[in-house]
Amino acid sequence: MARRTSIDLPFGDAEYRFHLDIPRLKELQEKCNAGPPEVLARLADGRARVEDAQETIRLGLIGGGMPAQEALKLVRNYAGDDTPLVEVIATALMVLGAAVLGNPAPTPPPEPAEGNPEAATS
């Protein structure tokens, strides 16, 4: 099964594409003073710092094609002071998890069997 490292997730006011390629993973590593697997472990086991989560989201948005200033604004609005930290960490965990572990490619729906149009709906 093909795996990809980007993921589409709801965040704040809409659904966005998040992607952490190697250059952005290196930047995350510098910002968080830990390698991506370590940041992922911290997010998963409750040792995460706020910056681990916010930087993962910000860099993921940039990697997904968003201009840096817009990504920073979204993080401030939807991963900032008024957002429960657990929500920020959950989003970051999915973004970094896709980059480190891969995200299964969506499977297309099965085609209906010839002569049996109900096969696809059951």
Side-chain angles (χ1 to χ4, degrees):
M1 171 183 286
R3 299 186 81 75
R4 56 194 177 108
T5 57
S6 64
I7 189 167
D8 297 328
L9 296 171
F11 181 67
D13 59 352
E15 183 169 293
Y16 295 97
R17 163 90 21 114
F18 294 85
H19 179 72
L20 291 169
D21 56 8
I22 296 299
R24 283 177 185 78
L25 287 172
K26 287 180 177 181
E27 186 175 346
L28 180 67
Q29 185 170 275
E30 290 174 19
K31 297 276 187 184
C32 297
N33 197 31
E38 175 63 24
V39 175
L40 182 63
R42 292 190 318 214
L43 289 167
D45 69 13
R47 294 180 296 127
R49 300 179 302 183
V50 173
E51 294 81 13
D52 293 342
Q54 289 177 327
E55 287 299 322
T56 297
I57 293 169
R58 183 183 70 81
L59 291 168
L61 287 165
I62 294 168
M66 183 175 289
Q69 284 303 106
E70 189 176 338
L72 181 59
K73 182 179 175 184
L74 280 177
V75 168
R76 285 181 178 156
N77 288 340
Y78 301 117
D81 296 344
D82 294 330
T83 307
L85 185 57
V86 70
E87 290 178 21
V88 180
I89 289 173
T91 299
L93 189 57
M94 290 185 282
V95 172
L96 189 53
V100 173
L101 305 170
N103 180 24
T107 54
E111 294 186 25
E114 200 170 308
N116 186 1
E118 291 185 22
T121 60
S122 58

